[in-house]
Amino acid sequence: MNEDMLTEAQRRCIPNVSFELIPIRNLVSNQDYQRPLSENHIRKALEEFDVYQINPVKVSRRDGINYVFDGQHTIEIVASESGSRDTPVWCMIYDDLKYKEEAHIFADQQKHVKSLSSYETFKAHIEADDPKQKMIEAIVRSYGLSITSTKARNGISAVSTLERIYDKYGQAVLDRTLRLAAATWEGEDNSFSGSILMGIARIVVAYGDSIRDDVFKDHVGRVSVKAIIRAAKERRPGALGYAEAMILEYNKKSKYRLSLRTLYGGQPVNSEDEFVEE
């Protein structure tokens, strides 16, 4: 496009940059305004390395030196994956920026960036026909449920929890978790929250076939989800508090009582944790 045809407003929206392939050995990073390199982040990125996820590295060329002010993790990931710092990466070159200007750009670069929600990411994976997300969606739909962006009756908005259960415990545990949640509260508000689902998953993993689905439905379903939430918060933080609250209800007036120790791999728990009110 002929730049002479652009309006002044249009020109203000186009950064004055050029693009070059620059070998990583010719890039300087770790300025004082940058965060320290995260070896954990680099390791995880290498485990799922995808060349299509590499963004151009932002470089300030000052006094003939290429200073990286956005992309220091990118260059370390590429160097590790390729095995060489001679590997070139695409760089977006800003000429004649001052050090303080670099620091200011670095500080504000994420200011107006809207991150994808878990739901948006999940739906994109569905459109890409990625097998994990397709399987999770199929399991959810098999119980007449749907994956939603916000809370809705018979909808699950705790998308990251679904993926975490699937990744950590497998397809069978996710399937049984949803079966128990759907049968026990029949779509009651918050019955598909992340805490409830993860609590049930912990129970399924800990007790396996010792858990009777009919007893879980009848005994735990006698109390509302709100009551489970209150009891969980009184016991301990996180999914284990929810799991404990549900096991206590499961055990009430039951022939099939379960020890809370099993939730912790047989480790002792506080004496009051073993007490079950009748």
Side-chain angles (χ1 to χ4, degrees):
M1 184 176 181
N2 189 337
E3 291 189 15
D4 293 336
M5 299 174 63
L6 298 175
T7 67
E8 184 60 31
Q10 289 172 323
R11 289 194 182 92
R12 287 199 305 270
C13 295
I14 302 173
N16 183 22
V17 297
S18 59
F19 286 85
E20 293 181 24
L21 274 171
I22 301 177
I24 293 169
R25 59 179 163 75
N26 292 338
L27 298 173
V28 176
S29 62
N30 294 324
Q31 280 71 259
D32 287 343
Y33 54 77
Q34 291 178 311
R35 56 191 171 183
L37 282 171
S38 168
E39 295 298 331
N40 186 51
H41 173 78
I42 293 170
R43 185 179 67 255
K44 287 183 177 179
L46 287 169
E47 289 172 357
E48 301 178 357
F49 182 80
D50 182 354
V51 69
Y52 293 105
Q53 298 300 321
I54 299 175
N55 292 319
V57 175
K58 289 184 178 180
V59 168
S60 171
R61 183 166 286 162
R62 262 189 299 117
D63 302 322
I65 298 174
N66 299 314
Y67 293 99
V68 175
F69 64 92
D70 181 22
Q72 62 171 345
H73 282 91
T74 296
I75 64 175
E76 296 306 320
I77 292 164
V78 173
S80 296
E81 178 66 19
S82 67
S84 174
R85 300 191 78 81
D86 288 327
T87 305
V89 292
W90 278 111
C91 296
M92 182 186 294
I93 311 296
Y94 291 76
D95 286 312
D96 301 322
L97 286 179
K98 293 180 175 61
Y99 178 84
K100 289 183 178 180
E101 291 175 317
E102 295 169 16
H104 180 77
I105 295 170
F106 178 84
D108 285 350
Q109 63 186 337
Q110 297 297 319
K111 189 174 182 180
H112 300 294
V113 174
K114 184 179 183 298
S115 300
L116 288 174
S117 68
S118 297
Y119 174 79
E120 290 167 335
T121 302
F122 187 90
K123 295 303 288 184
H125 280 296
I126 292 294
E127 292 300 313
D129 280 335
D130 289 332
K132 182 179 84 172
Q133 285 76 17
K134 296 287 282 188
M135 177 58 70
I136 292 172
E137 184 181 55
I139 295 171
V140 169
R141 286 183 173 177
S142 72
Y143 293 104
L145 306 171
S146 60
I147 295 173
T148 56
S149 58
T150 57
K151 288 183 180 180
R153 186 166 184 82
N154 293 324
I156 302 178
S157 60
V159 181
S160 59
T161 300
L162 294 176
E163 293 187 302
R164 188 158 64 250
I165 293 171
Y166 184 93
D167 290 339
K168 189 172 184 178
Y169 302 124
Q171 174 183 335
V173 170
L174 177 60
D175 184 274
R176 194 175 182 198
T177 296
L178 292 179
R179 182 166 72 247
L180 287 171
T184 301
W185 291 289
E186 299 179 344
E188 183 180 329
D189 286 351
N190 294 317
S191 58
F192 298 112
S193 70
S195 296
I196 290 288
L197 293 178
M198 187 55 77
I200 295 175
R202 294 294 294 265
I203 290 170
V204 170
V205 170
Y207 297 99
D209 292 338
S210 297
I211 283 283
R212 293 174 59 101
D213 289 16
D214 56 339
V215 175
F216 191 96
K217 176 181 179 298
D218 292 341
H219 288 209
V220 182
R222 284 188 301 221
V223 298
S224 68
V225 175
K226 287 183 178 180
I228 293 293
I229 293 172
R230 285 196 300 270
K233 290 180 177 179
E234 290 172 359
R235 300 196 65 79
R236 66 182 72 236
L240 283 172
Y242 284 80
E244 284 189 13
M246 287 184 268
I247 289 300
L248 290 176
E249 294 300 331
Y250 181 96
N251 282 342
K252 287 181 179 179
K253 298 181 180 178
S254 174
K255 297 185 296 182
Y256 310 101
R257 295 163 67 90
L258 301 168
S259 171
L260 284 178
R261 292 190 179 197
T262 305
L263 274 175
Y264 302 92
Q267 297 300 312
V269 292
N270 295 334
S271 58
E272 62 266 24
D273 290 343
E274 293 286 28
F275 176 75
V276 179
E277 295 183 1
E278 298 294 348

